[in-house]
Amino acid sequence: MATTRTAKTHWEGNLMEGKGTVALESSKVGTYDVNWPARAEQPNGVTSPEELIAAAHSSCYSMAFSHGLAGKGYTVESLDTQADVTFQPGEGITGIALTVKARVPGLSEEDFQAAAQDAKANCPVSQALAGVKNITLAAELV
């Protein structure tokens, strides 16, 4: 069964001086301010498309990794995933660095690294971001 999720953005003004809001319509969990300075300089309490992509990627990766490990018979105690999305004005998104620390009893380092890479390749958000040339992964079994 397919699902559709919706977000809406309202924008006023030009790129450099304008501002907007993005509303997470499907979940209704919030409406967040967006503007160019938060995207190209410091966030100062305002989000950006790249931060929203980072949230999507880190959560999707964690779900894919957990699912893959469960399919191999492992019980995941915890996964802590961070996604750092780099935006370069004039170039776009130039890289994404995924970092995961996992606690999975009984899993060898070799099998852990293989499963971590498999999740990176098969996470639906990773696949949607295939146009980003530099997506890295640092995975640590703790």
Side-chain angles (χ1 to χ4, degrees):
M1 172 170 93
T3 60
T4 300
R5 298 295 180 259
T6 304
K8 291 183 180 177
T9 298
H10 174 77
W11 186 265
E12 296 176 357
N14 65 30
L15 174 63
M16 301 302 247
E17 297 159 3
K19 62 183 178 180
T21 57
V22 59
L24 305 182
E25 289 293 310
S26 298
S27 64
K28 303 287 188 207
V29 297
T31 299
Y32 305 95
D33 293 333
V34 292
N35 64 30
W36 178 255
R39 189 171 193 187
E41 298 166 16
Q42 293 300 314
N44 295 322
V46 178
T47 195
S48 68
E50 290 72 29
E51 185 176 33
L52 297 170
I53 288 170
H57 205 176
S58 66
S59 59
C60 182
Y61 177 83
S62 294
M63 291 178 189
F65 197 11
S66 175
H67 181 67
L69 290 170
K72 295 181 184 330
Y74 293 100
T75 300
V76 174
E77 283 186 7
S78 66
L79 293 174
D80 292 298
T81 306
Q82 179 171 318
D84 297 307
V85 176
T86 302
F87 173 75
Q88 178 65 46
E91 293 181 45
I93 295 173
T94 58
I96 301 173
L98 290 170
T99 306
V100 62
K101 292 184 179 185
R103 192 174 305 278
V104 186
L107 182 61
S108 72
E109 181 67 28
E110 182 180 349
D111 289 343
F112 170 74
Q113 292 297 330
Q117 290 296 332
D118 184 65
K120 177 182 170 252
N122 293 301
C123 154
V125 172
S126 290
Q127 293 174 347
L129 296 169
V132 178
K133 292 179 174 66
N134 186 26
I135 300 178
T136 62
L137 172 64
E140 181 183 352
L141 186 58
V142 294

